Amino acid sequence: MTTTQCLEAPAPAAKPPLLTRPLLLRFVSMLGAAISFYLLLSVVPLYAQGTGGGGGAAGLATGALMLATVCGEFGTPWLVGRYGYRVALGAGLVLLGAPALVLTLSSSMAWIVLVCLLRGLGFALTVVAGGALTAALIPDERRGEGLALVGIVAGAPALGALPLGVWSVRHFGYTPVAVIAGAAALVAVASVPGLPDGERRTGRATGLLAGLRTPALSRPALVFGASALVAGIIVTFLPLAVASASAGVVAAALFLQPLASTVARVVAGRIGDRRGQAGLVPPGVVLSAAGVLLTALTHHDLAVIAGVTVFGVGFGLLQNATLALMYARAPRSAYGTVSALWNLAYDAGMGVGALGFGLVAGRTGYPWAFVLTAALLAAALPVALRDLRGGSRSAGPAPASE
């Protein structure tokens, strides 16, 4: 080959840019929603417990939040198709932030549940509309890398805000924490007009139901929902299960769990792009179940910290792997359905976990309730293995309504 021929050889195609202006703007609304949500996630159950309802009141608060979120997630794909991303995302931020400002105006359980219901609806709008928009802003060939980056941005608020909320309440009271949480979401509304609006469609809510009937999408969602069930239990009941003298242990555990999840999501994104995402799901289930079993030793501080951290690793693997699998198995036109289905699994799992665990722990005590939860999570392993063997072959076309 001559020098001229070498010079004329085509250069390797450059990767499309990942950090575009729309994606950076999307990070602003993502951070605002996540800070608002996580700052109060463990705080509101503590506030509800102060009404005299104990663990049942705490579970009811988280359960109401997640029930409204799940209901909202069914309708959000239709709302996005009718009015576009910006309206849905902006409305979600307002509903997430405004009720937080008035949380402490009353300590009645009815008022707390109302605030949780409104915030849950707002959170549904932000995660479904925002999730579909985020996926559309990431180039297909950089999906794993992009979702890992999104995992860092989404995980950072949980890493700081979740333990900071519990710590701040003990030092400054509930009202300042609630006001900051509300302001974080409302300030982020200013970034919404700069985002793309997307193509408006009709019939998207039907596509969600079709997604539930598609095994290639529903199996990863089911496995992830089982792990989300545990996440709801930890954020709601860990401050109650561990002795009050070990408040520092709870703060450390609530810091390490999202940290471990965030790191695991980055690792999962890189490994999954090279070796496939489905192979990460069974190890994620095993690690999650093992972490919960270790957390059952609630009177041993090191066991609690280690258990919650191990669970965080498994949970992070499942977060990234299941979401990447579902997006890879659907066309871009069905991203709204994928986002709704994955977030439905997330929030339904958290809500069911909070409600169910409170009832079980009232009969068995917290240690045995954690043991039973670990066994329930381990039951998702056969589903993960079945999806590993045949998930990609069972992937079909997107629902017609999408």
Side-chain angles (χ1 to χ4, degrees):
M1 182 179 293
T2 65
T3 302
T4 303
Q5 289 174 319
C6 291
L7 292 174
E8 293 176 352
K15 291 183 179 181
L18 186 59
L19 289 176
T20 59
R21 182 179 181 275
L23 186 60
L24 291 174
L25 276 176
R26 169 63 190 126
F27 285 167
V28 174
S29 58
M30 186 186 301
L31 285 170
I35 290 171
S36 179
F37 180 76
Y38 284 109
L39 197 62
L40 293 183
L41 189 56
S42 288
V43 167
V44 173
L46 288 173
Y47 186 64
Q49 185 190 21
T51 64
L60 180 59
T62 301
L65 177 74
M66 293 308 161
L67 174 63
T69 301
V70 168
C71 292
E73 284 164 351
F74 275 98
T76 302
W78 174 86
L79 185 65
V80 170
R82 182 70 180 272
Y83 298 105
Y85 291 120
R86 290 197 295 258
V87 169
L89 184 56
L93 289 169
V94 171
L95 285 172
L96 185 62
L101 298 177
V102 296
L103 169 65
T104 58
L105 290 183
S106 173
S107 59
S108 74
M109 199 61 216
W111 178 258
I112 296 171
V113 168
L114 176 60
V115 168
C116 289
L117 289 173
L118 292 174
R119 279 173 50 81
L121 180 59
F123 188 60
L125 293 171
T126 62
V127 296
V128 174
L133 174 58
T134 303
L137 295 175
I138 298 174
D140 292 341
E141 52 269 53
R142 303 185 71 177
R143 179 180 288 114
E145 182 184 359
L147 289 178
L149 177 60
V150 169
I152 295 174
V153 175
L159 178 63
L162 193 58
L164 182 61
V166 176
W167 181 88
S168 298
V169 160
R170 299 184 188 277
H171 289 80
F172 306 111
Y174 289 100
T175 299
V177 177
V179 169
I180 292 172
L186 294 176
V187 168
V189 175
S191 68
V192 173
L195 294 170
D197 211 18
E199 179 183 352
R200 295 186 172 110
R201 295 181 176 88
T202 59
R204 293 178 68 88
T206 305
L208 175 60
L209 298 178
L212 287 169
R213 297 191 297 267
T214 304
L217 299 180
S218 61
R219 280 199 296 258
L222 178 63
V223 173
F224 179 61
S227 67
L229 181 146
V230 180
I233 290 171
I234 288 177
V235 299
T236 303
F237 288 99
L238 193 66
L240 307 178
V242 176
S244 58
S246 300
V249 172
V250 174
L254 292 178
F255 173 81
L256 290 172
Q257 187 261 308
L259 174 63
S261 296
T262 301
V263 173
R265 289 191 71 170
V266 174
V267 173
R270 294 182 177 179
I271 294 177
D273 277 349
R274 299 172 184 173
R275 302 182 182 179
Q277 303 287 351
L280 296 172
V281 178
V285 174
V286 172
L287 286 170
S288 298
V292 178
L293 193 59
L294 192 56
T295 306
L297 301 172
T298 55
H299 295 292
H300 300 273
D301 294 350
L302 290 179
V304 170
I305 292 176
V308 172
T309 302
V310 171
F311 167 75
V313 173
F315 187 56
L317 291 178
L318 291 174
Q319 279 181 298
N320 212 78
T322 56
L323 184 58
L325 272 177
M326 294 169 69
Y327 278 129
R329 293 172 178 177
R332 187 173 292 263
S333 60
Y335 279 4
T337 293
V338 169
S339 177
L341 184 57
W342 188 84
N343 282 289
L344 176 66
Y346 198 162
D347 301 320
M350 290 190 70
V352 170
L355 285 172
F357 189 86
L359 296 175
V360 172
R363 295 173 178 266
T364 66
Y366 290 116
W368 277 108
F370 278 116
V371 171
L372 293 174
T373 301
L376 180 63
L377 181 53
L381 184 59
V383 180
L385 293 174
R386 182 179 179 184
D387 190 72
L388 177 61
R389 291 192 297 267
S392 60
R393 292 195 299 272
S394 64
S401 61
E402 293 296 333

